[in-house]
């Protein structure tokens, strides 16, 4: 415990118009079993009373510091938090989420023999009345600890965003890492890609539970798929491809092919546009973004899809996926 008490943890929360949920979020942090932390509430020019609430909450504990700034977006808020942070470790929490009571303590214990600690995430779905109708704990596929570059594919859904992980401030400071304030999409992924270049080992700490709240989401997923979300997903995949070629040279192609096929399956139709010709354009865009190489680790069906794309038989791929999704 003496070693733990020497490590100050900076918990950074960007706050923007989150009055309805901010107090519960902050309280989950004040309830931590690990007490040697500073909580930085970065008010990003809120206009709904969140600014005043931040000041009120700061009276609850001397661990809380409030920084008010003009609205500039979540990346500017996180960067301001990094500039203000004095801790050995950094934890990011979104202002409408919550963390388990031993979240920080479990992270610190696990950090003693690894470069990156990853927590667990519980997706909590809340309807329009504020009632939780589905808590869903995400299941880790990767080993509990290992080499990040070797297990990247099985960790891919966990390591893109900034929450549910523990960062070392020394790495961030030494390499002058910041969130790209010019990006409106995937800025958190770009930050993580930069950070992971200096990371070798990882450990999963399942007791560090992050509750990720989804409010009033009782709608069909198909209505969420638009040309904009498709373009955003392609952009994210494109920047990750560049990172993976360097960081995971032995497996980047396999990971990339899996992502391409995932988007082929996901975007067979868009909101308000189910035309086959539109889907054809998306298939062609995915097929020509980067070179496609058949990976022997792929199943036979996926290998066949890659070969069809290589031969520019896009209409065959269109027919296959649209028929496949109609059957599901």
């Amino acid at each position: 415990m003496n070693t733990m008490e020497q490590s100050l943890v900076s918990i950074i929360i960007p706050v923007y118009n989150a009055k309805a949920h901010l107090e519960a979020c902050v309280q989950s942090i004040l309830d931590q079993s690990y007490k040697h932390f500073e909580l930085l509430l970065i008010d990003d020019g809120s206009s709904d009373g969140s600014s005043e609430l931040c000041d009120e909450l700061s009276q609850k504990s001397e661990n809380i510091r409030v920084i008010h700034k003009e609205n500039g977006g979540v990346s500017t808020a996180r960067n301001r938090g990094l500039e203000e942070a004095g801790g050995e470790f950094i934890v990011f929490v979104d202002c409408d989420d919550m963390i388990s009571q031993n979240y920080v303590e479990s992270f610190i214990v696990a950090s003693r023999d690894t470069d990156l600690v990853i927590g667990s995430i519980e997706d909590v779905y809340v309807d329009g009345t504020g009632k939780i109708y589905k808590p869903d704990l995400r299941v880790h596929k990767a080993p509990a600890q290992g080499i990040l570059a070797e297990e990247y594919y099985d960790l891919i859904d966990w390591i893109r965003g900034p929450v549910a992980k523990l960062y070392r401030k020394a790495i961030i400071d030494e390499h002058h890492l910041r969130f790209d304030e010019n990006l409106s999409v995937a800025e958190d992924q770009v930050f993580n890609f930069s950070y992971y270049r200096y990371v070798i080992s990882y450990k999963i700490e399942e007791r560090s539970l992050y509750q990720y709240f989804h409010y009033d989401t009782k709608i069909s997923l198909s209505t969420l798929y638009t040309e904009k979300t498709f373009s955003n997903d392609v952009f994210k995949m494109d920047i990750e491809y560049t990172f993976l070629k360097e960081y995971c040279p032995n497996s980047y192609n396999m990971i990339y092919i899996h992502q391409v096929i995932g988007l082929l399956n996901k975007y067979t139709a868009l909101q308000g546009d189910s035309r086959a010709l539109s889907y054809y354009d998306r298939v062609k865009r995915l097929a020509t973004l980067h070179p496609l190489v058949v990976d022997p680790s792929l199943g036979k069906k996926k290998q066949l899809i890659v070969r069809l794309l290589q031969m520019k038989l896009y209409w065959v791929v269109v027919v296959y996926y649209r028929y496949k999704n109609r059957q599901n």
Side-chain angles (χ1 to χ4, degrees):
M1 184 63 69
N2 289 336
T3 301
M4 289 170 52
E5 289 174 350
Q6 295 175 1
S7 300
L8 177 66
V9 179
S10 297
I11 303 174
I12 299 172
I13 302 183
V15 178
Y16 179 71
N17 289 355
K19 186 177 180 181
H21 311 293
L22 180 60
E23 188 166 5
C25 174
V26 169
Q27 191 60 52
S28 75
I29 294 169
L30 296 181
D31 290 341
Q32 289 298 293
S33 58
Y34 186 84
K35 300 301 182 183
H36 196 41
F37 67 85
E38 61 173 359
L39 172 56
L40 304 177
L41 298 178
I42 314 298
D43 170 38
D44 189 34
S46 297
S47 58
D48 70 337
S50 294
S51 299
E52 294 77 10
L53 180 57
C54 284
D55 292 331
E56 292 175 19
L57 292 172
S58 69
Q59 302 304 310
K60 286 190 172 187
S61 171
E62 62 182 13
N63 293 40
I64 299 177
R65 277 201 289 148
V66 179
I67 293 94
H68 298 287
K69 60 181 286 297
E70 292 184 2
N71 178 253
V74 66
S75 290
T76 66
R78 287 183 178 136
N79 285 341
R80 180 65 182 275
L82 290 175
E83 292 167 6
E84 298 283 345
E88 180 181 345
F89 296 99
I90 299 291
V91 168
F92 291 106
V93 177
D94 288 344
C95 56
D96 53 357
D97 295 332
M98 297 172 64
I99 59 177
S100 60
Q101 190 173 18
N102 60 353
Y103 185 81
V104 176
E105 181 177 351
S106 298
F107 268 158
I108 295 299
V109 171
S111 73
R112 292 170 178 168
D113 56 358
T114 193
D115 299 321
L116 175 71
V117 188
I118 303 167
S120 286
I121 296 177
E122 181 181 43
D123 292 294
V124 182
Y125 296 88
V126 184
D127 65 21
T129 68
K131 182 180 178 180
I132 295 174
Y133 64 89
K134 187 177 74 169
D136 187 12
L137 183 64
R138 301 184 194 178
V139 178
H140 284 283
K141 298 178 182 179
Q145 60 186 102
I147 304 302
L148 183 61
E150 295 177 358
E151 304 296 339
Y152 189 93
Y153 176 68
D154 285 333
L155 287 167
I156 199 166
D157 292 332
W158 297 87
I159 59 180
R160 287 170 169 165
V163 302
K165 52 186 60 69
L166 185 74
Y167 298 87
R168 291 187 180 274
K169 183 69 156 42
I171 293 177
I172 293 173
D173 288 346
E174 180 181 354
H175 302 285
H176 310 290
L177 304 182
R178 290 294 186 270
F179 291 85
D180 190 332
E181 298 177 7
N182 295 314
L183 291 178
S184 58
V185 175
E187 70 287 341
D188 48 358
Q189 293 184 31
V190 172
F191 175 84
N192 280 345
F193 297 156
S194 299
Y195 185 86
Y196 296 152
R197 294 178 190 278
Y198 310 103
V199 167
I200 297 175
S201 63
Y202 76 89
K203 179 183 285 187
I204 295 171
E205 178 43 75
E206 293 186 336
R207 291 174 298 173
S208 294
L209 180 62
Y210 187 98
Q211 291 185 301
Y212 191 106
F213 283 80
H214 305 261
Y215 293 96
D216 197 16
T217 56
K218 277 192 172 181
I219 55 177
S220 169
L221 284 177
S222 62
T223 64
L224 301 177
Y225 300 153
T226 65
E227 185 61 47
K228 185 177 187 301
T229 63
F230 173 71
S231 294
N232 289 347
D233 279 344
V234 172
F235 176 76
K236 294 175 185 177
M237 186 175 65
D238 186 28
I239 60 173
E240 190 164 22
Y241 178 86
T242 303
F243 163 72
L244 288 173
K245 282 195 71 173
E246 177 183 341
Y247 192 74
C248 306
N250 296 324
S251 59
Y252 79 93
N253 177 69
M254 180 269 291
I255 297 172
Y256 178 66
I257 294 299
H258 275 286
Q259 290 180 295
V260 168
I261 289 177
L263 294 188
L264 286 172
N265 193 57
K266 179 179 178 179
Y267 285 103
T268 54
L270 302 179
Q271 180 182 2
D273 185 0
S274 59
R275 295 175 301 157
L277 184 59
S278 295
Y279 182 50
Y280 174 92
D281 291 337
R282 293 191 292 279
V283 171
K284 183 177 179 180
R285 183 174 174 186
L286 289 170
T288 56
L289 186 63
H290 292 290
L292 298 175
V293 180
V294 176
D295 194 291
S297 68
L298 296 171
K300 291 184 178 180
K301 288 184 179 179
K302 290 182 178 179
Q303 289 189 35
L304 176 59
I305 294 299
V306 175
R307 294 190 189 282
L308 291 171
L309 295 174
Q310 288 175 327
M311 293 186 290
K312 301 182 180 180
L313 296 175
Y314 305 141
W315 275 116
V316 179
V317 176
V318 168
V319 171
Y320 169 75
Y321 275 105
R322 285 170 69 87
Y323 176 78
K324 173 176 176 286
N325 284 340
R326 285 197 185 101
Q327 304 306 306
N328 294 336

